[in-house]
């Protein structure tokens, strides 16, 4: 699956205001992983929704393929999850913060997203670095091979005459 293309599509279809959508910066390098399109979209949509709902005004989505891994990161410049809540935000029905004026959630989005990532051979984690909340999803990458060029000589020497 073209991970960067799927992420681009999720951002374009984000159910948010035009202003919120315009605040999402995309830095999407080509990346291919063997993942389910629907579930990948669900994970990215949930992370973006959380960044819009609970994060700061600037959001960034990054895809990379390096060292056999595909990485998707959703970053925002909000206050971040308090240290004491970081481990439990991935537990069912747990929430770290309530934002005044923002509809609350049930507390299943991160739990489901982590479970889906793990079912596809990946992982979902959280960190706070350089004044940014960073949710990182990692999957094993799939090598992309250029189509082989067969010369007439190679065809003549093959066993397929």
């Amino acid at each position: 699956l073209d991970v960067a293309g799927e992420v681009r599509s999720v951002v374009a279809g984000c159910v948010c205001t035009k202003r919120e959508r315009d605040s999402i910066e995309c830095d999407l390098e080509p990346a291919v992983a063997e993942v389910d399109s629907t579930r990948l979209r669900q994970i990215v949509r949930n992370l973006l929704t959380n960044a819009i709902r609970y994060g700061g005004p600037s959001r960034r989505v990054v895809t990379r393929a390096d060292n056999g891994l595909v990485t998707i990161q959703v970053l925002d410049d909000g206050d971040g999850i308090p240290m004491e809540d970081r481990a439990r935000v991935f537990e069912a029905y747990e929430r770290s913060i309530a934002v005044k004026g923002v509809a609350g959630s049930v507390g299943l989005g991160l739990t489901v997203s982590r479970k889906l990532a793990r079912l596809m051979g990946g992982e979902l984690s959280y960190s706070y670095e350089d004044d940014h909340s960073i949710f990182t999803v990692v999957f094993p990458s799939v090598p992309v091979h250029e189509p082989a060029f067969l010369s007439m000589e190679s065809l003549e020497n093959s066993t397929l005459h």
Side-chain angles (χ1 to χ4, degrees):
L1 181 72
D2 171 12
V3 172
E6 292 296 319
V7 170
R8 186 177 296 107
S9 179
V10 170
V11 171
C14 180
V15 180
C16 55
T17 67
K18 180 177 177 353
R19 183 176 175 197
E20 289 168 337
R21 188 172 21 263
D22 289 346
S23 75
I24 303 170
E25 176 188 339
C26 292
D27 180 4
L28 308 176
E29 290 183 1
V32 177
E34 191 170 336
V35 294
D36 179 87
S37 170
T38 303
R39 300 303 164 226
L40 177 69
R41 287 168 162 269
Q42 184 176 356
I43 293 168
V44 174
R45 190 176 310 112
N46 179 63
L47 296 177
L48 274 175
T49 300
N50 283 354
I52 291 167
R53 185 179 287 168
Y54 304 114
S58 297
R59 294 112 185 162
R60 185 171 178 225
V61 183
V62 178
T63 60
R64 298 280 186 267
D66 192 34
N67 295 325
L69 297 174
V70 169
T71 303
I72 305 165
Q73 291 185 312
V74 176
L75 302 90
D76 73 74
D77 61 352
D79 292 333
I81 298 171
M83 188 67 80
E84 64 273 11
D85 294 339
R86 291 181 186 178
R88 68 183 186 85
V89 294
F90 291 103
E91 295 174 16
Y93 306 110
E94 292 292 334
R95 294 182 49 222
S96 174
I97 56 174
V99 178
K100 190 174 184 168
V102 175
S105 64
V106 175
L108 289 174
L110 292 175
T111 306
V112 170
S113 293
R114 180 180 261 182
K115 180 70 172 176
L116 290 173
R118 288 177 172 174
L119 287 170
M120 293 186 286
E123 186 58 71
L124 170 61
S125 61
Y126 172 81
S127 62
Y128 191 80
E129 302 169 23
D130 300 322
D131 298 325
H132 285 84
S133 280
I134 307 168
F135 281 92
T136 303
V137 187
V138 180
F139 296 107
S141 66
V142 175
V144 179
H145 301 288
E146 294 295 320
F149 175 75
L150 297 177
S151 66
M152 285 306 292
E153 182 180 326
S154 66
L155 286 173
E156 289 169 0
N157 292 331
S158 75
T159 58
L160 298 175
H161 304 226

